[in-house]
Amino acid sequence: YQRRVHGDLWSEWTKEDDGVAEEEEAEEEEPQDATNSLHVRLHKCKHLEDRDVGSKSDPYVILKLRKSKRSIFGRQELRSQVIKDTQNPHFNEDLIFEDIWQPQKKSLFIEVWDKDSISDDSLGEGKISLKDIKAGKTTKVKLDLGKHHYLRSSKCYFELTPIGWGN
């Protein structure tokens, strides 16, 4: 699967928060001529919480690219396919963010959800600052999504490849 949006591996990067305070500054609208992209190869998640009764979860991943969780401008969002009945989904899916303005000033927010017929349940989330991602180099990531009530840590594995970045 490959999905594109127009507009804005295993390195041990397991911090839920990169320690950088989110700045409360006035945002400027982003120009339409940005040429930077980010290729995300979503491999798998492991040890997800079972939130369904009588079956296993049906997980999917939402990727959000923005300056902060509260950003107004430049928000981009991509969603993976749903993998049925598993706590250890193998996505093997390519998701591509295109036309990113100032990628080094943004973060990638990762949310894992359980698809339900009435209301989807959160299975964990994490964040990666893009300021340390180097142009032309693929970065392997193992992201800790937090512990669930079984005291087991959920993880998400993916690769990030920047295209057109000037750093």
Side-chain angles (χ1 to χ4, degrees), residues 53 63 81 87 92 94 96 102 105 110 115 117 129-130 139 157 159:
V53 177
L63 302 172
Q81 61 185 319
Q87 276 21 86
N92 296 319
D94 294 311
I96 300 171
Q102 298 180 330
K105 292 185 175 183
I110 296 93
K115 180 73 178 163
S117 57
S129 171
L130 298 183
T139 302
Y157 299 80
E159 297 177 2

Side-chain angles (χ1 to χ4, degrees), residues 4-166:
R4 293 179 177 266
V5 65
H6 183 76
D8 181 2
L9 250 29
W10 277 254
S11 65
E12 292 297 319
W13 192 332
T14 59
K15 298 181 210 172
E16 286 184 19
D17 184 9
D18 61 7
V20 177
E22 293 180 0
E23 298 176 14
E24 294 291 333
E25 60 184 53
E27 291 184 285
E28 59 186 70
E29 193 166 347
E30 298 181 355
Q32 296 297 315
D33 61 349
T35 59
N36 302 306
S37 339
L38 179 64
H39 177 240
V40 180
R41 175 72 175 165
L42 177 60
H43 289 283
K44 63 185 176 181
C45 294
K46 290 176 73 174
H47 311 299
L48 296 176
E49 184 176 4
D50 186 2
R51 300 292 299 262
D52 288 346
V53 177
S55 68
K56 293 186 164 93
S57 292
D58 303 318
Y60 66 93
V61 176
I62 296 176
L63 302 172
K64 298 178 180 181
L65 188 64
R66 53 186 66 162
K67 277 188 177 180
S68 72
K69 267 194 163 177
R70 296 179 299 275
S71 291
I72 297 170
F73 297 111
R75 295 186 291 186
Q76 295 183 38
E77 189 172 300
L78 296 173
R79 182 175 163 165
S80 76
Q81 61 185 319
V82 175
I83 306 294
K84 298 277 188 188
D85 203 32
T86 184
Q87 276 21 86
N88 299 296
H90 288 263
F91 294 97
N92 296 319
E93 187 170 354
D94 294 311
L95 301 153
I96 300 171
F97 290 98
E98 294 182 327
D99 301 328
I100 306 168
W101 176 251
Q102 298 180 330
Q104 296 86 355
K105 292 185 175 183
K106 298 204 171 158
S107 292
L108 183 64
F109 295 86
I110 296 93
E111 299 174 356
V112 182
W113 291 86
D114 173 25
K115 180 73 178 163
D116 288 325
S117 57
I118 298 173
S119 175
D120 295 354
D121 300 312
S122 175
L123 298 176
E125 62 182 30
K127 172 182 136 179
I128 294 176
S129 171
L130 298 183
K131 68 181 177 185
D132 297 321
I133 304 297
K134 301 297 179 205
K137 182 180 177 193
T138 296
T139 302
K140 296 178 179 184
V141 179
K142 177 173 74 174
L143 184 67
D144 188 341
L145 300 171
K147 293 183 179 178
H148 47 77
H149 69 272
Y150 299 117
L151 299 178
R152 191 165 208 177
S153 207
S154 299
K155 303 214 180 326
C156 190
Y157 299 80
F158 53 95
E159 297 177 2
L160 301 175
T161 304
I163 300 164
W165 296 19

